[in-house]
Amino acid sequence: MSFDAPRSTWSSRWAFILVTIGSAVGLGNIWRFPYMTGAQGGSAFVLVYLLCVALVGLPLLMAEILIGRRGRGNPVSAMLKVAEENGASPWWGALGWVGVLGALLILAYYSVVAGWIVEYTYQAIAGVRILTPEAAKQGFADLQANPLRLIFWHTVFLALTVGVVARGVLSGIERANLLLMPALFVILLFLVLWGGMVGDMRTAWHFMFDFKPELLTGQVVLSAMGHAFFSLSLGMGAIMAYGSYLDKRASIAHNCFWIALMDTLVGLLVGLAIFSLTFAHGLEANSGPGLVFHTLPLVFTHMPGGRVVGSLFFLLVLFAAWTSAISLVEPFVAWATERLGVHRAAAAWGTGAAVWLLGVAVCLSFNDWSGFKLFGLNLFDQVDYLTSRILMPLSGLAIALFVGWIMSRKNAQDEIRLPAAQFQLWRQVLRYVTILAIVLIFVYRLANPDS
Ligand code: PFF
């Protein structure tokens, strides 16, 4: 049974680029990418990352949007439709399910981390001062030890996210991105300028871009590749769902180029901004995940104009996380509205309720349930591992196999519409290089179980 209501289409090509950048730019860019760059080889890491984006990320981004637009439906229906058109087994529909359900799993922990960001945004705006490194660490530990506070902020963030999706593709998702993304870019530019004026931009530049080939190991290549998947929102139905609302006339390749470029640029610019401020205060930049929660609140307390800059920074992270989270809800909501005929608002809030419950368990895994571990990992790490280490690359591999080997060349070209040589280049990279790279990731992991 199918309820084929007329589908929305983004109001312009720019709207599509903006919402997709909204999905791509998120906690991954701001929380992880700058730190990884500094700690794992500077410009050598950036180079490896760019290679991963060019050879794996970009071809897959195009393939995912291609399926979404060709199938013109939620990820499950789109996969089924495109499989049928190419005479392939309906089992390929399972790939749509991996994306739709994987996205909800990611959201369950993404929303918890974003909840911490809401708390820190609130603290920054309220002018809470964090005077010593010990106080910064204690503040974060106290938050993690307090299940009610974690659940409260997780609830607030998830409600914000679901509220947008419930309003619809154009008046919810597109409108929110058209407001939040330009604001994000303005804040980012302001922070970079401010970092250049009062921070130590030179040291930040060296930290991020000095060529340190000795730091480049198989492990680093692995994390660059993993990060390319996460950062470009690949394999989880989000991009496929957004692609399904793309106008038939728009060029997939051009749009993808801009999306991948902007996603990388944002990570690099955020890194320069926050490291220049961090170094200006003589603080260490390699505190990893603690960078945003331990180091930066300290920096903002001690710098001129810190309350304004700190508030803007956390708002930037919040906006980035919010627009990414929205894209994690949409695939399932699109499926429920199109396949079950459920009203969009009911589908969105129902989905939110299920994710909320799982998120509550994730909140508890930091405190009351911290003793419950599987393979040495708490629930938070398990869900992160399952989604970003297993589901995303596996689903990426399946998408590359499908579009590269199963989908007819004619159908693919009909949708991608590139000049013959460029089309050929993309297709061959997808068929061989992308597939080989992902297979190598898994082989490397099997050979190095601790990686
Ligand atoms: N790309 C987002 C980030 O960098 O934070 C995370 C993400 C969003 C992953 C949507 C997967 C996804 F489907």
Side-chain angles (χ1 to χ4, degrees), residues 225-261:
M225 179 91 88
H227 189 64
F229 267 95
F230 191 78
S231 192
L232 288 174
S233 308
L234 293 172
M236 290 292 104
I239 296 293
M240 213 182 269
Y242 278 8
S244 73
Y245 304 119
L246 177 63
D247 189 284
K248 280 282 179 207
R249 288 161 303 182
S251 155
I252 293 182
H254 289 160
N255 289 340
C256 287
F257 173 78
W258 283 107
I259 294 159
L261 185 74

Side-chain angles (χ1 to χ4, degrees), residues 23-24 26-29 106 110 230-231 233 236 238 324 327-328 392:
S23 169
L27 293 172
N29 302 61
I106 294 186
Y110 204 83
F230 191 78
S231 192
S233 308
M236 290 292 104
S324 296
S327 75
L328 288 165
M392 282 183 141

